[in-house]
């Protein structure tokens, strides 16, 4: 019933684009990251894994965070729940969570970045307001406790219910994620399940307290393609039914196309470009985004072209390039500018933002956004993207 | 689970047979036998050696038979009649000599095992959870020291300290007035007041290695994704640690009982000699040095059997503890 | 014991490693032993311990020269003489004289116990010098010499830096000679362990199947026997009539017969996992012979693990030898090992009169400790790619 209400609410607010400029917290923004910095203090020096990330996650919508491994997307997700392990720590920024507003109450805003990891306040958020599932369904569940045991525990942390009631709810949840014969399998051990089944169990467990946001950290990466599709289908169905927001971490542009409402592209701890999914796919602005899109095969390609790969590899996060962090691999590298100035965010539309000097930001010659296409030494004309 | 128990019990049979053969070979290895040593001793003292008596003894102990017959005689008497033969040295049945001492040895080993676990568990968990803390470093250092110190040396140092600073020689498991008394409450209390010294000395190395094992396992487990999952559920940290990683790390901890028991028995042998306990140790060494084969053989056989049983118990405990083993083998 | 930091990424993240390879070209091409060495150097404790191990080794090698006297040189007048403190500045008799010296003893007989009681006599002065002439010896059994690194300048005098034993023999010299025996037992034993362990573990892991099962049963069986009674039984079987050298080798063989099981398990486990690796398959498809695959392709990839296991096995050998000899079932006098020396301190009375006889135990503890630290350091550095 609660779920139904929420679904109605989510359905009633489809105009997510009406939020105005990013940064102005609109009513439908559930979680907002402002200048988030998570650093790792190792013997070799400080690794700035997340270095000033701004994101907003809207109620009932899916935000996909994309990037190569090591770009900080996973750490960003973990920072939201203060799950970053030592020697890592959230050092700066705000993580604003809007609580309670969904049921028509006044709601309150909590800054999760200020909470102590492992403290009581953040624990009351974990699993209840924001739940999380992980990449490795094989190791993310304890293999020596039954599925039921682990689910009942998750239910009872936040709800004052008896064991029997919690168990019934666990069976119900397992049925919801299409586990066959949930009444019997609730007493099985995870090692008796396949990878896809385990990920379903993880999802069921995450849904046990009806969270407003589900963070999915590469939930399909370790699965085979068929199971991947099933899990994505399941998540989309659950989102429709329960109206929760999803933050989906992935490196797979195909998954993004399938899942996303909004997309954020990350590179070396920074969001280099973000916007609605259609805009990102049809009109990518940042050279990195373009390169990412060119590196995946497309159906309907006219010619037998070679897929392009991004030259070089991600630099050592402990040893970041000066200026724009992408300049060492960028096709549109402008000497003297890109290696000197850190590009500030440039708003290209109500929900569109890019961090690239091609679109201005350093006081130098800033061609307008449309001209940028021609200004950039772009070997492939934009028309080749056309469908 | 029942299938697992039966399978393990069947496994024990060939192991026990092999142990009995090895034991028999060990006691047969020394050149000559007890009688030749005995005769040599007699003649060196200038006593006349009655060859007929020697022959009779030879006959009686079956020393003229082929070795496999001797083995068969020996083992069948033990298995079928519980008759371990006679000790040459004491001229008494071995069974009379050993059971009391074995009882004390077993009690001491089990007490040491329990105390070691009781000490190692909280320290191991603390050291892993508070890794790199001052306490962790201190315990790690003490642990290394405990591993590096042979326990007989520890016993020697203890003896020296108590003699030098408390002016008394420690030793034994009982006060003189209880030593030969029958078992009663007073004797038990007296035993308890003495037993902690050997327990701590024997347990030192084992405790140190248990702490290391638990700490290393727990450090591995604390980084596993399922811990993060549990954190993401909103559980309190201590509950997570005790329910998940500690539970996983305890698996190897339990299986250590299997190998800890032999080393505890070994340590007990050495320590008993230093602080003069009436356990198996001194008698075993005496029997080995004087080639009292039935006595020594019985000790080795029984201690090895105990170890095999200990290993079996720890295997079963592990299967009960870890469902994966139960399902894989059950 | 030093603990590795996880790369600052999700568990599956490989970026930091790739990145390191890219930014620091040196790492990418360094041979494995160099990577191991670089990591080992970072373990401060292991490095310090390695220096100590080296010192122990030097003491063992140059025992004859370093000892103030020979281990068997006795003096009935110095039964249980206590350690003499080494002094450097002499202010007695008005003037100040520099240079190392010790005080002599005056001994009186306790009228009740009749035991000789020693006291340091401040008025006597025995000068101590370096590279002095003393008791003649043969270096390594064939270079005759009478030079000692340290000792009394007057060869007629006797000094006891660490006290004397029942026969008035110098404990320091005996500990120094014992270092050679005790350490070499560890080394020889480990060498034998190595052969048993590599061959049987390798065979077990490479061939698998029935061979593997058989060898595993043997290992399980050996591990289920309580070690000390087995050692005792086997060493009691060593004939008393055997000479020192034969006993030495017999004891070493006994120790390694039981000690190889651990190494065999390590080697087997590695072989089992390596067998499935692509590079082994590639070598096989290229038509490499079995011995070549094992020696050229598989062994090098875990040699550092073997070295770590071996380093960790040495201290256990030393402890085992000490325990056996302490019980009188290991090495026999006149061979001098730390265990043989400790045998003299078996009863309370001796410890009470001459507690310095426990000092060989200190040598045991320190040697075992530093060897453990080095072994741990090697083990932590053994897998530079992790």
């Amino acid at each position: 019933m609660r779920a139904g209400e929420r679904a109605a609410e989510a359905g009633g607010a489809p105009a997510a684009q009406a939020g105005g400029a990013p940064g102005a917290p609109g009513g439908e923004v559930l979680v907002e990251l402002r200048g988030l910095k998570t650093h790792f203090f190792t013997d070799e020096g400080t690794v700035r894994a997340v270095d000033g990330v701004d994101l907003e996650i809207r109620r009932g919508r899916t935000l996909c965070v994309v990037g190569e491994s090591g770009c900080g997307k996973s750490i960003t997700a973990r920072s939201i729940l203060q799950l970053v392990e030592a020697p890592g720590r959230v050092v700066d920024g705000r993580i604003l969570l809007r609580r309670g507003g969904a049921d028509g109450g006044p709601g309150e805003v909590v800054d999760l970045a200020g909470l102590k990891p492992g403290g009581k306040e953040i624990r009351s958020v974990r699993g209840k307001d924001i739940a999380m599932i992980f990449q490795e369904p094989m190791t993310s569940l304890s293999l020596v406790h039954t599925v039921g045991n682990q689910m009942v525990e998750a239910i009872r942390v936040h709800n004052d219910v008896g064991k029997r009631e919690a168990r019934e709810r666990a069976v119900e949840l397992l049925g919801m994620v299409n586990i066959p014969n949930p009444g019997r399998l609730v007493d099985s051990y995870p090692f008796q399940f396949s990878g896809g089944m385990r990920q379903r169990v993880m999802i069921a467990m995450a849904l046990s307290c009806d969270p407003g946001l589900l963070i999915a950290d590469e939930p399909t990466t370790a699965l085979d393609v068929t199971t991947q599709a099933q899990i994505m289908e399941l998540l989309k169905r659950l989102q429709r039914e329960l109206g929760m927001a999803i933050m989906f971490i992935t490196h797979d542009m195909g998954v993004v196309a399938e899942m996303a409402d909004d997309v954020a592209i990350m590179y070396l701890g920074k969001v280099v470009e973000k916007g609605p999914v259609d805009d990102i796919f049809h009109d990518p602005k940042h050279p990195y985004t373009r390169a990412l899109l060119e590196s995946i095969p497309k159906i309907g390609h006219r010619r037998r072209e070679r897929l392009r790969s991004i030259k070089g590899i991600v630099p050592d996060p402990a040893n970041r390039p000066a200026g724009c962090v992408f300049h060492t691999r960028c096709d549109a590298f402008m000497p003297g500018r890109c290696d000197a100035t850190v590009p500030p965010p440039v708003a290209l539309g109500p929900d569109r933002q890019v961090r690239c000097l091609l679109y201005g930001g350093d006081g130098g010659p800033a061609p307008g956004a449309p001209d940028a296409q021609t200004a950039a030494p772009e070997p492939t004309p934009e028309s080749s993207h056309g469908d | 689970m029942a299938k697992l128990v039966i399978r393990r019990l069947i496994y024990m049979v060939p192991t026990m047979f092999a142990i009995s053969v090895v034991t028999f070979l060990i006691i047969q290895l020394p050149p000559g036998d007890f009688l030749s040593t005995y005769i040599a001793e007699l003649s060196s003292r200038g006593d006349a050696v009655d060859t007929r008596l020697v022959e009779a003894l030879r006959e009686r102990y079956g020393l003229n038979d082929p070795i496999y017959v001797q083995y068969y005689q020996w083992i069948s008497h033990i298995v079928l009649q519980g008759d371990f033969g006679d000790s040459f040295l004491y001229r008494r049945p071995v069974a009379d000599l050993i059971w009391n001492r074995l009882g004390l040895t077993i009690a001491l080993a089990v007490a040491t095992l329990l105390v070691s676990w009781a000490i190692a568990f909280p320290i191991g968990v603390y050291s892993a959870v508070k890794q790199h803390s001052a306490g962790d470093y201190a315990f790690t250092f003490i642990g290394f020291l405990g591993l590096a110190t042979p326990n007989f040396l520890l016993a020697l140092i203890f003896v020296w300290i108590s003699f030098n600073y408390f002016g008394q020689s420690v030793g034994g498991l009982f006060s003189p007035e209880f030593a030969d008394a029958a078992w009663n409450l007073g004797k038990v209390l007296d035993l308890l007041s003495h037993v902690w010294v050997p327990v701590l000395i024997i347990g030192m190395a084992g405790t140190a290695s248990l702490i290391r094992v638990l700490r290393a396992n727990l450090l591995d487990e604390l980084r596993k994704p399922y811990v993060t999952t549990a954190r993401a559920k909103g559980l309190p940290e201590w509950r997570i640690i005790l329910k998940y990683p500690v539970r996983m790390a305890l698996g190897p901890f339990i299986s250590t009982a299997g190998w800890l028991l032999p080393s505890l028995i070994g340590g007990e042998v050495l320590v008993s000699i230093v602080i003069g306990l009436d356990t198996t140790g001194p008698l075993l060494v005496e029997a080995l040095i004087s080639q009292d084969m039935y006595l020594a053989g019985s000790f080795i056989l029984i201690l090895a059997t105990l170890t095999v049983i200990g290993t079996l118990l720890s295997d079963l405990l592990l299967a009960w503890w870890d469902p994966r083993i139960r399902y894989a083998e059950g | 014991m030093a603990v590795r930091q996880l790369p600052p990424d999700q568990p599956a993240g490989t970026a930091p490693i790739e990145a390191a390879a890219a930014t620091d070209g040196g790492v990418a091409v360094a041979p494995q032993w160099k990577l191991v060495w670089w990591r080992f150097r970072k373990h401060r404790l292991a490095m310090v311990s390695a220096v100590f191990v080296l010192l122990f080794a030097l003491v063992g090698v140059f025992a004859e020269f370093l000892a103030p006297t020979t281990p068997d040189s006795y003096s009935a007048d110095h039964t249980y003489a206590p350690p003499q403190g080494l002094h450097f500045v002499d202010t007695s008799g008005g003037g100040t004289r520099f240079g190392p010296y010790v005080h002599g003893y005056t001994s009186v007989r306790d009228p009740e116990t009749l035991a000789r009681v020693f006291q340091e006599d401040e008025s006597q002065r025995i000068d101590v010098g370096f590279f002095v002439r003393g008791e003649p010896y043969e270096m390594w059994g064939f270079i005759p010499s009478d030079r000692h690194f340290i000792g009394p300048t007057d060869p007629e005098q006797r000094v006891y830096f660490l006290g004397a034993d029942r026969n008035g023999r110098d404990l320091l010299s005996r500990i120094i000679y014992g270092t050679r025996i005790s350490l070499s037992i560890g080394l020889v034993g480990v060498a034998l362990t190595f052969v048993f362990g590599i061959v049987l573990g390798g065979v077990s892991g490479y061939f698998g199947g029935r061979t593997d099962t058989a060898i595993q049963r043997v290992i399980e069986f050996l591990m289920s026997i309580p070690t000390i009674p087995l050692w005792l039984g086997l060493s009691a079987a060593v004939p008393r009539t055997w000479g020192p050298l034969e006993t030495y080798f017999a004891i070493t063989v006994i120790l390694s017969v039981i000690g190889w099981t651990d190494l065999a398990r390590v080697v087997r486990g590695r072989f089992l996992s390596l067998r499935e690796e692509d590079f082994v398959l590639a070598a096989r498809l290229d038509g490499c012979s079995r011995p070549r695959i094992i020696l050229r392709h598989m062994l090098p990839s875990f040699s550092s693990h073997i070295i770590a296991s071996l380093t960790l096995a040495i201290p256990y050998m030393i402890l085992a030898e000490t325990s056996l000899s302490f019980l009188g079932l290991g090495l026999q006098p006149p061979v001098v090992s730390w265990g043989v020396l400790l045998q003299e301190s078996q009863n309370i009375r001796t410890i009470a009169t001459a507690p310095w006889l426990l000092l060989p135990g200190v040598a045991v503890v320190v040697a075992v400790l530093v060897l453990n630290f080095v072994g741990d350091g090697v083990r932590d550095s053994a897998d530079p790619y992790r």
Side-chain angles (χ1 to χ4, degrees):
Chain A
M1 304 134 273
R2 270 183 304 165
E5 278 167 29
R6 201 179 266 177
E9 214 261 351
Q17 287 89 340
E28 74 281 37
V29 174
L30 181 67
V31 174
E32 187 180 349
L33 272 51
R34 281 286 157 260
L36 177 71
K37 290 187 178 177
T38 303
H39 293 177
F40 285 77
F41 302 92
T42 68
D43 294 342
E44 282 81 25
T46 303
V47 177
R48 295 187 287 173
V50 178
D51 198 28
V53 161
D54 300 327
L55 284 176
E56 39 290 310
I57 301 161
R58 295 183 163 82
R59 242 185 253 289
R61 289 175 68 92
T62 301
L63 168 71
C64 276
V65 181
V66 200
E68 290 165 277
S69 39
C71 72
K73 54 192 192 299
S74 221
I75 302 296
T76 306
R78 277 159 203 247
S79 300
I80 295 177
L81 282 179
Q82 292 282 4
L83 287 173
V84 183
E85 279 172 54
R89 191 152 43 85
V90 175
V91 290
D92 196 18
R94 282 173 302 159
I95 303 168
L96 302 174
L97 165 71
R98 192 170 300 273
R99 297 176 96 175
D103 299 329
E108 49 160 350
V109 175
V110 194
D111 182 8
L112 304 181
L115 301 181
K116 202 170 122 259
K120 208 169 181 170
E121 294 92 344
I122 189 72
R123 288 208 320 264
S124 73
V125 173
R126 290 177 185 167
K128 176 129 183 81
D129 297 284
I130 304 175
M132 191 158 176
I133 60 176
F134 299 92
Q135 180 176 357
E136 299 277 342
M138 312 296 272
T139 49
S140 294
L141 287 164
S142 162
L143 296 184
V144 295
H145 296 86
T146 59
V147 166
N149 177 320
Q150 296 179 61
M151 291 189 67
V152 163
E153 176 189 60
I155 295 163
R156 294 188 67 199
V157 195
H158 299 295
N159 300 297
D160 187 20
V161 294
K163 269 194 182 149
R164 181 185 296 263
E165 209 180 319
R167 194 187 139 92
E168 279 163 17
R169 171 96 177 116
V171 174
E172 184 193 327
L173 283 162
L174 287 176
M176 231 160 85
V177 296
N178 299 345
I179 296 272
N181 201 351
R184 192 170 59 80
L185 290 184
V186 73
D187 289 320
S188 314
Y189 290 94
F191 60 84
Q192 297 167 295
F193 284 31
S194 68
M197 293 265 274
R198 281 183 221 183
Q199 198 57 285
R200 282 167 200 273
V201 170
M202 282 295 289
I203 294 171
M205 203 157 77
L207 297 180
S208 59
C209 296
D210 220 345
L213 168 64
L214 174 68
I215 302 177
D217 185 357
E218 306 217 26
T220 57
T221 307
L223 305 174
D224 63 74
V225 182
T226 324
T227 321
Q228 261 187 24
Q230 288 171 357
I231 294 289
M232 286 194 288
E233 212 41 60
L234 173 70
L235 282 174
K236 283 204 286 196
R237 195 196 84 214
L238 290 168
Q239 186 177 34
R240 273 199 308 276
E241 288 171 9
L242 306 173
M244 68 198 166
I246 296 179
M247 178 183 183
F248 201 100
I249 316 287
T250 183
H251 60 255
D252 184 343
M253 287 307 256
V255 171
V256 176
E258 188 78 12
M259 291 294 296
D261 296 313
D262 305 299
V263 180
I265 315 281
M266 281 189 75
Y267 186 80
L268 264 193
K270 285 189 192 302
V271 174
V272 292
E273 179 167 8
K274 62 184 176 185
V277 62
D278 286 350
D279 295 4
I280 295 283
F281 271 82
H282 294 128
D283 184 18
K285 295 295 188 194
H286 198 282
Y288 180 59
T289 315
R290 279 187 235 150
L292 274 183
L293 286 170
E294 277 159 20
S295 66
I296 53 169
K298 277 184 231 36
I299 296 174
H301 242 269
R302 275 190 308 237
R303 273 168 294 154
R304 301 180 117 250
E305 277 179 280
R306 282 185 77 86
L307 283 173
R308 283 164 47 82
S309 62
I310 307 174
K311 67 178 181 190
I313 54 164
V314 185
D316 182 1
N319 198 1
R320 310 161 67 88
C324 172
V325 285
F326 187 59
H327 82 250
T328 51
R329 303 170 69 190
C330 186
D331 288 332
F333 172 53
M334 299 177 282
R337 291 176 66 195
C338 292
D339 50 5
T341 314
V342 178
V346 178
L348 300 175
D351 291 312
R352 230 25 233 294
Q353 199 186 68
V354 66
R355 277 173 182 269
C356 180
L357 295 178
L358 289 174
Y359 307 94
D362 67 340
D371 308 29
Q373 298 293 341
T374 44
E378 178 75 16
T380 325
E382 203 205 355
S383 57
S384 75
H385 288 290
D387 40 9
Chain B
M1 192 76 185
K3 250 165 79 186
L4 179 75
V5 175
I6 292 167
R7 176 133 32 105
R8 284 298 154 96
L9 281 174
I10 293 172
Y11 274 162
M12 266 181 72
V13 175
T15 313
M16 288 311 307
F17 172 71
I19 284 179
S20 72
V21 171
V22 168
T23 308
F24 189 72
L25 289 180
I26 288 174
I27 56 185
Q28 289 294 332
L29 261 184
D33 49 47
F34 178 77
L35 275 185
S36 35
T37 323
Y38 180 60
I39 294 163
E41 208 173 290
L42 281 185
S43 22
S44 70
R45 272 190 275 154
D47 293 356
V49 182
D50 186 343
T51 41
R52 268 187 313 165
L53 176 72
V54 169
E55 245 349 276
L57 282 172
R58 254 183 204 289
E59 198 58 40
R60 186 172 158 224
Y61 292 118
L63 294 178
N64 294 329
D65 293 331
I67 190 153
Y68 57 88
V69 176
Q70 287 191 40
Y71 168 75
Y72 177 74
Q73 291 287 340
W74 178 68
I75 198 70
S76 60
H77 276 93
I78 292 177
V79 175
L80 300 176
Q81 298 157 24
D83 173 14
F84 287 89
D86 290 347
S87 158
F88 297 125
L89 200 61
Y90 289 85
R91 310 280 159 127
R92 283 166 63 193
V94 168
D96 291 358
L97 290 164
I98 57 175
W99 289 120
N100 245 336
R101 287 170 176 263
L102 272 173
L104 284 176
T105 293
I106 295 166
L108 211 53
V110 170
T112 310
L113 188 65
L114 296 179
V115 170
S116 298
W117 271 345
I119 296 175
F121 177 73
I123 294 180
V125 172
Y126 173 87
S127 276
V129 174
K130 302 269 176 202
Q131 194 196 1
H132 299 314
S133 69
D136 174 32
Y137 285 127
F139 285 128
T140 304
F141 183 74
I142 295 174
F144 267 112
L145 215 55
L147 275 179
T149 314
N151 46 23
F152 73 85
L153 187 67
L154 207 62
L156 284 175
I157 294 168
F158 183 81
V159 164
W160 177 59
I161 289 174
S162 67
F163 185 85
N164 234 23
Y165 296 97
F166 305 105
Q168 55 178 1
S169 55
V170 289
L173 283 175
F174 304 102
S175 307
E177 63 266 32
F178 286 109
D180 293 320
W183 283 99
N184 59 32
L185 185 66
K187 186 164 176 173
V188 171
L189 291 177
D190 185 59
L191 175 67
L192 286 180
S193 71
H194 282 82
V195 83
W196 62 271
V197 173
V199 161
L200 286 186
I201 292 174
I202 299 167
M204 181 77 178
T207 310
S209 62
L210 276 181
I211 292 175
R212 278 185 71 183
V213 169
L214 182 59
R215 179 179 179 276
N217 285 330
L218 196 51
L219 279 177
D220 277 354
E221 294 295 333
L222 282 172
R223 297 191 185 119
K224 293 272 172 77
Y226 65 82
V227 178
T228 314
T229 307
R231 285 204 187 105
K233 285 186 206 170
L235 294 167
E237 189 70 16
W238 59 266
R239 218 171 110 192
I240 296 171
I241 290 173
L242 288 182
K243 179 168 177 183
Y244 295 106
V246 166
R247 158 107 203 209
M248 293 297 284
L250 274 182
F253 201 63
I254 289 174
S255 57
T256 51
W259 57 257
L260 202 56
L261 211 59
S263 73
L264 285 180
I265 290 174
E268 186 273 326
V269 169
L270 283 159
V271 170
S272 300
I273 291 169
V274 176
I275 54 180
L277 304 182
D278 286 331
T279 56
T280 44
L283 198 60
L284 172 61
V285 172
E286 192 182 14
L288 282 170
I289 290 177
S290 57
Q291 293 189 14
D292 188 349
M293 59 175 263
Y294 286 129
L295 187 53
S298 307
F299 270 133
I300 295 180
L301 187 67
I302 294 172
L303 290 180
T305 308
L306 285 176
T307 312
V308 172
I309 293 173
T311 316
L312 173 78
L313 288 180
S314 78
D315 276 359
L316 294 181
L317 205 59
L318 196 63
W320 166 76
W321 182 255
D322 191 334
R324 285 171 299 176
I325 297 175
R326 206 157 64 221
Y327 279 83
E329 299 196 28
Chain C
M1 281 266 91
V3 174
R4 220 163 285 110
Q5 311 284 13
L6 270 187
D9 197 358
Q10 65 261 52
T14 51
I17 296 163
E18 295 166 6
T23 49
D24 192 345
V27 176
V29 295
Q32 188 178 2
W33 64 266
K34 218 170 199 172
L35 292 175
V36 172
W37 168 241
W38 285 344
R39 282 180 68 107
F40 184 76
R41 250 187 347 199
K42 283 194 189 159
H43 289 263
R44 243 170 297 150
L45 188 59
M47 278 303 282
V48 172
S49 303
V51 172
F52 271 92
V53 170
L54 204 66
L55 287 178
F56 268 108
L58 287 177
V59 168
V61 171
F62 298 104
E64 291 96 340
F65 170 65
L66 290 171
T69 177
T70 57
D72 305 318
S73 150
Y74 65 95
S75 157
D77 295 336
H78 290 86
T79 298
Y80 295 138
Q84 292 163 313
L86 191 59
H87 302 270
F88 290 96
V89 185
D90 183 10
T91 50
S92 64
T96 306
R97 287 171 61 195
F98 292 98
Y101 70 95
V102 296
H103 292 301
Y105 297 108
T106 51
S107 64
V108 284
R109 272 203 190 276
D110 189 313
E112 277 173 48
T113 61
L114 295 180
R116 200 192 288 271
V117 177
F118 289 92
Q119 266 167 347
E120 261 189 54
D121 182 356
E122 302 259 327
S123 63
Q124 279 188 59
R125 179 189 151 111
I126 303 171
D127 280 315
V128 172
F130 292 97
F131 304 103
V132 294
R133 284 186 187 283
E135 200 81 22
Y137 60 84
E138 284 185 342
M139 190 77 187
W140 301 320
F142 61 88
I143 307 174
S145 167
D146 59 356
R147 286 281 171 192
H148 291 266
F149 175 65
I150 189 170
T153 43
D154 174 8
E156 296 302 308
Q157 293 281 3
R158 301 185 69 85
V159 293
Y160 295 98
F161 296 118
L162 296 182
D165 69 358
R166 185 165 38 101
N167 298 319
R169 291 174 295 197
D170 176 33
L171 190 62
L172 175 62
S173 302
R174 289 174 72 75
I175 292 178
I176 288 177
Y177 275 80
T179 306
R180 171 178 292 178
I181 301 289
S182 289
L183 287 189
S184 69
I185 283 249
L187 283 179
V188 176
V190 161
L192 288 172
T193 302
F194 175 77
V195 174
F196 278 121
I198 294 282
V199 171
L200 290 170
V203 165
S204 190
Y206 189 83
F207 292 103
R210 213 171 284 174
T211 326
D212 182 35
T213 316
I215 294 177
Q216 285 314 300
R217 285 291 99 78
V218 173
I219 291 180
E220 275 165 28
F221 167 67
L222 279 177
M223 287 181 109
S224 72
I225 302 180
T227 338
I228 298 232
L230 187 61
W231 274 334
L232 294 181
L234 287 175
S235 24
V238 175
R240 292 282 173 279
T241 48
W242 282 14
L245 200 65
E246 287 147 323
T247 317
Y248 173 94
F249 278 109
I251 297 294
T252 320
V253 169
I254 289 169
L255 294 183
S256 39
V257 157
I258 300 159
W260 63 271
T261 49
D262 273 337
L263 185 69
R265 291 191 130 187
V266 172
V267 172
R268 169 180 177 264
R270 288 265 128 197
F271 258 106
L272 280 182
S273 57
L274 278 178
R275 218 164 41 149
E276 312 301 328
E277 292 280 343
D278 289 341
F279 72 89
V280 173
L281 181 68
R284 193 155 37 210
L285 292 178
D286 283 347
C288 287
S289 65
R290 255 186 186 174
R292 189 177 161 81
I293 292 176
I294 294 178
L295 292 175
R296 284 288 303 161
H297 297 277
M298 292 171 87
L299 266 184
S301 69
F302 61 93
S303 52
S304 43
H305 289 269
I306 294 173
I307 294 169
S309 295
L310 289 179
T311 323
L312 286 170
I314 298 175
Y316 287 98
M317 290 280 169
I318 294 177
L319 281 179
E321 181 274 324
T322 310
S323 301
L324 278 186
S325 302
F326 173 74
L327 288 178
L329 287 165
L331 301 179
Q332 307 292 338
V335 172
V336 182
S337 79
W338 291 335
V340 171
L341 293 178
L342 281 171
Q343 202 188 340
E344 293 189 26
S345 57
Q346 247 192 34
N347 66 66
I348 299 171
R349 199 175 302 269
T350 318
I351 302 174
T353 34
W356 49 90
L357 288 180
L358 291 176
L359 284 175
V362 176
V364 175
V365 173
V366 173
V368 171
L369 210 53
V370 293
L371 280 165
N372 267 327
F373 285 143
V374 171
D376 272 352
V378 176
R379 191 183 51 195
D380 284 353
S381 338
D383 203 344
Y385 300 107
R386 214 164 40 170

